[in-house]
Amino acid sequence: MTDASTIALIGAPGAGKSTVGRQLADRLGLPFTDVDARIEAEQGKPIREIFADEGEHHFRELERSASLEALGSPGVVALGGGAVMTPEVADASRQASVVWLSVSVAQASRRVGLNQASSLLLGNMRATLIRLLAQRTPVYQNLATITVDTDRTEVRAIVDQIIRQLKGVDE
């Protein structure tokens, strides 16, 4: 394994950060932190309500603080999809092994349930996801020490691949 005792999972909504993170932490015997879940627990409401009630700026400050705290401790950390767009979080993640869980717009849409929305809402949400991926992908690529395509790979195989790469074993 690398010298980093912290493994940061980054990627778009629907990439599998929470699911993969839990299993990876379990397999490695490390604690797991899902930054979005931590924020929701601390605030007592879902992120979408934080956005609606207090605005994106307030949420990003909560995300920055929670992300920096999580990255400062050993374990597996599932960062929010936009967390690394904050320079402080991007800088802090460089001290960790950064795993980018890459996902296509089509697969991310299916995983977050966008394909079940009304056609008008689906178009807007899908367009937003496309825009976010276009903005974030270069940052994800720049930070990643390991990249795993999650589109057609089962969670166990993704975890196996990450562990092999953390240990420096080529596939």
Side-chain angles (χ1 to χ4, degrees):
M1 191 173 296
T2 66
D3 291 338
S5 59
T6 304
I7 302 163
L9 302 179
I10 63 173
K17 299 179 298 290
S18 298
T19 303
V20 170
R22 277 187 206 88
Q23 290 191 28
L24 180 63
D26 186 54
R27 291 265 304 273
L28 296 174
L30 294 170
F32 173 66
T33 302
D34 181 323
V35 172
D36 285 347
R38 176 183 277 185
I39 292 168
E40 289 180 338
E42 289 173 357
Q43 297 299 305
K45 57 184 164 181
I47 288 171
R48 69 180 176 279
E49 288 182 22
I50 298 169
F51 262 80
D53 297 345
E54 286 95 24
E56 182 175 0
H57 179 75
H58 178 73
F59 169 74
R60 293 297 174 200
E61 181 52 36
L62 295 171
E63 181 181 57
R64 183 193 66 77
S65 178
S67 297
L68 292 175
E69 182 180 331
L71 290 168
S73 302
V76 176
V77 179
L79 292 171
V84 295
M85 301 305 286
T86 301
E88 284 177 275
V89 175
D91 289 345
S93 71
R94 293 181 198 282
Q95 303 306 308
S97 294
V98 180
V99 179
W100 174 27
L101 299 179
S102 174
V103 64
S104 68
V105 170
Q107 192 61 255
S109 296
R110 279 191 281 285
R111 291 178 185 168
V112 297
L114 300 185
N115 59 339
Q116 296 175 3
S118 71
S119 58
L120 176 60
L121 189 56
L122 172 61
N124 291 338
M125 293 172 73
R126 188 175 177 93
T128 298
L129 188 54
I130 290 167
R131 182 179 49 79
L132 290 177
L133 279 174
Q135 291 171 345
R136 295 175 181 176
T137 294
V139 176
Y140 295 155
Q141 288 171 329
N142 182 290
L143 291 172
T145 53
I146 296 171
T147 300
V148 180
D149 182 344
T150 67
D151 269 12
R152 291 177 184 84
T153 308
E154 296 294 324
V155 174
R156 181 180 179 99
I158 292 167
V159 171
D160 288 344
Q161 183 178 346
I162 293 167
I163 290 171
R164 280 193 307 273
Q165 291 190 41
L166 287 169
K167 292 179 178 179
V169 178
D170 290 329
E171 295 186 85

